[in-house]
Amino acid sequence: MMKGNTSKGLRITILILAISQVLSGLFHMFSPQTMLSQDQAIERVLGGAMLAFALGAGLTYLERAWDRARIAVLIQVTWMILYTITLAWGVLTGGLLVNAAPSVIIGAFLSILLTSLYIREERLKR
């Protein structure tokens, strides 16, 4: 890795995140009825947001320079943390079916992984 470039581990994680967000976003937009939600419009809005974050993750993956990718990575970290918290909240309060629990687990894993990779990257670039 060249000094100042984003690590390969972080870039691969961001790429996986981008792909999963595209798939999930498209699913929420075009098959909201399968989520058994009370409001399909909200599912479509969530799908649109996921696609927007997927675009950001994809562009972040393409950017190798840490100084230019840093803020975009931080936005992805924040999105995953907030997404996971709100999803878990929905499951715990009964607003979402327990079927969403695997998404909570995956979201928590990605949140922790992205946060730790971000912190590691920041320390390496000092």
Side-chain angles (χ1 to χ4, degrees), residues 1-73:
M1 174 177 73
M2 287 180 38
K3 182 136 175 77
N5 280 357
T6 305
S7 69
K8 188 174 184 177
L10 178 59
R11 291 186 70 243
I12 289 170
T13 303
I14 291 289
L15 178 61
I16 292 168
L17 179 64
I19 292 167
S20 68
Q21 287 180 356
V22 164
L23 296 174
S24 189
L26 290 172
F27 179 75
H28 281 277
M29 283 189 80
F30 296 110
S31 296
Q33 68 281 0
T34 58
M35 300 307 293
L36 301 174
S37 67
Q38 293 180 353
D39 192 342
Q40 292 184 12
I42 291 174
E43 286 297 322
R44 287 190 173 99
V45 170
L46 174 61
M50 293 177 106
L51 290 173
F53 281 105
L55 175 63
L59 293 173
T60 303
Y61 168 77
L62 294 174
E63 180 55 62
R64 292 187 181 270
W66 174 246
D67 62 332
R68 292 194 302 260
R70 183 180 163 276
I71 292 173
V73 172

Side-chain angles (χ1 to χ4, degrees), residues 64-109:
R64 292 187 181 270
W66 174 246
D67 62 332
R68 292 194 302 260
R70 183 180 163 276
I71 292 173
V73 172
L74 188 56
I75 290 168
Q76 294 297 324
V77 168
T78 305
W79 162 252
M80 282 310 301
I81 291 170
L82 292 175
Y83 169 79
T84 302
I85 289 170
T86 55
L87 200 60
W89 187 356
V91 171
L92 293 172
T93 60
L96 292 173
L97 298 176
V98 178
N99 299 358
S103 295
V104 174
I105 294 166
I106 292 167
F109 173 77

